[in-house]
């Protein structure tokens, strides 16, 4: 429907607009890391607040669809065509570990957990390893409260590139949601497709999320 309409459709995968993730994508696209061999991502947060929508997995898809989909999108971006997803957790209330096998032999891994204490600041990370080097990014959100009498340390947003040496710098702290909105409005104004985050990529990320969810339920790998 979107393809045959005069409008512009963009699925808002905002993680693509966070500067650390963008920096890694630029290095990969430039060939700086060579052939991408593996990517590992983490996404960790407190338990979600009470919500009749979120806690009904028939509506939200639960952790693997609502939360982990951003990391599956990143894995697909760097590793290509996903083939099989395997998901497991050692205990019902524990972290979920997902492995995704890719065409050509690449492997992606995701650790997802939404069971930290309420004061825990949201945290995410990604590491991309290639035949010529690696790049990684770690984000920790602003503190949401205090732990005992000690104030939770302030957040950080960092990026590291290791190719023929070492380069580390803090990333641009520009609001990624504003950056995403501006990009979409530019596409609308110019009548161009949102190639930075195409709809097909969002559909593929959802396919991986659904396969991982099915694997977690069945205990078996799912194509």
């Amino acid at each position: 429907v979107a393809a045959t309409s005069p409008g512009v459709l963009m699925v808002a995968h905002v993680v693509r607009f966070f500067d650390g993730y963008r920096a890694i994508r630029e290095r990969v696209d430039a060939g700086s890391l060579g052939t991408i061999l593996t990517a590992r991502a983490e996404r960790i947060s407190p338990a979600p607040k009470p919500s009749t929508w979120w806690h009904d997995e028939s509506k939200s898809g639960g952790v693997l669809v609502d939360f982990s989909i951003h990391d599956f999108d990143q894995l697909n971006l760097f590793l290509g065509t996903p083939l099989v997803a395997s998901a497991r957790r050692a205990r019902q209330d524990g972290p979920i570990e997902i492995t995704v096998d890719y065409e050509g032999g690449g492997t992606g891994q995701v650790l997802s957990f939404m069971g930290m204490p309420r004061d825990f600041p949201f945290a995410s990370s990604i590491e991309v390893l290639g035949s010529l080097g690696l790049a990684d990014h770690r984000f920790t959100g602003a503190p949401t409260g205090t732990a005992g009498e000690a104030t939770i340390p302030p957040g950080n947003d960092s990026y590291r590139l290791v190719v023929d040496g070492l380069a580390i710098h803090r990333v641009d702290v520009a609001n990624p949601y504003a950056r995403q909105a501006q990009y979409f409005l530019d596409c609308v104004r110019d009548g161009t497709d949102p190639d930075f985050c195409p709809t097909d990529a969002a559909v593929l990320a959802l396919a991986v999320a659904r396969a991982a969810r099915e694997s977690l339920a069945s205990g078996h790998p799912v194509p």
Side-chain angles (χ1 to χ4, degrees):
V1 171
T4 58
S5 82
V8 176
L9 172 66
M10 188 180 90
V11 178
H13 268 281
V14 72
V15 168
R16 290 186 174 219
F17 293 86
F18 277 76
D19 205 65
Y21 291 91
R22 290 203 318 163
I24 293 176
R25 180 175 179 176
E26 289 173 359
R27 291 299 90 217
V28 170
D29 288 348
S32 302
L33 301 184
T35 301
I36 304 306
L37 306 173
T38 187
R40 295 186 175 93
E42 294 181 359
R43 191 160 299 270
I44 302 169
S45 83
K49 295 178 181 179
S51 163
T52 55
W53 175 83
W54 197 94
H55 290 281
D56 183 346
E57 289 202 9
S58 69
K59 296 178 180 178
S60 71
V63 174
L64 290 174
V65 173
D66 178 72
F67 196 55
S68 309
I69 194 169
H70 297 292
D71 299 308
F72 298 141
D73 179 55
Q74 290 292 310
L75 264 55
N76 294 345
L77 185 63
F78 298 128
L79 292 168
T81 304
L83 300 177
V84 178
S86 303
R88 65 178 296 275
R89 58 182 167 193
R91 44 188 281 178
Q92 185 62 32
D93 61 346
I96 303 172
E97 299 179 4
I98 309 100
T99 298
V100 185
D101 296 332
Y102 283 82
E103 192 174 90
T107 303
Q109 295 178 322
V110 174
L111 175 67
S112 294
F113 188 45
M114 296 188 78
M116 297 300 289
R118 176 57 53 198
D119 286 343
F120 182 86
F122 168 81
S124 70
S125 69
I126 188 167
E127 177 183 280
V128 179
L129 176 66
S131 58
L132 298 180
L134 69 83
D136 61 20
H137 165 60
R138 180 167 292 276
F139 173 83
T140 304
T144 57
T146 58
E149 296 181 358
T151 301
I152 293 176
N156 69 80
D157 197 353
S158 62
Y159 164 75
R160 177 180 63 160
L161 174 68
V162 184
V163 178
D164 294 331
L166 178 64
I168 301 178
H169 62 84
R170 286 187 69 88
V171 299
D172 184 355
V173 295
N175 186 328
Y177 295 93
R179 178 184 284 151
Q180 172 181 254
Q182 186 61 59
Y183 175 78
F184 173 66
L185 292 174
D186 289 345
C187 290
V188 172
R189 180 196 62 205
D190 300 334
T192 57
D193 291 330
D195 293 333
F196 191 75
C197 43
T199 302
D200 286 350
V203 173
L204 189 61
L206 179 59
V208 177
R210 289 171 61 89
R213 182 168 176 250
E214 184 179 339
S215 173
L216 184 66
S218 69
H220 302 289
V222 173

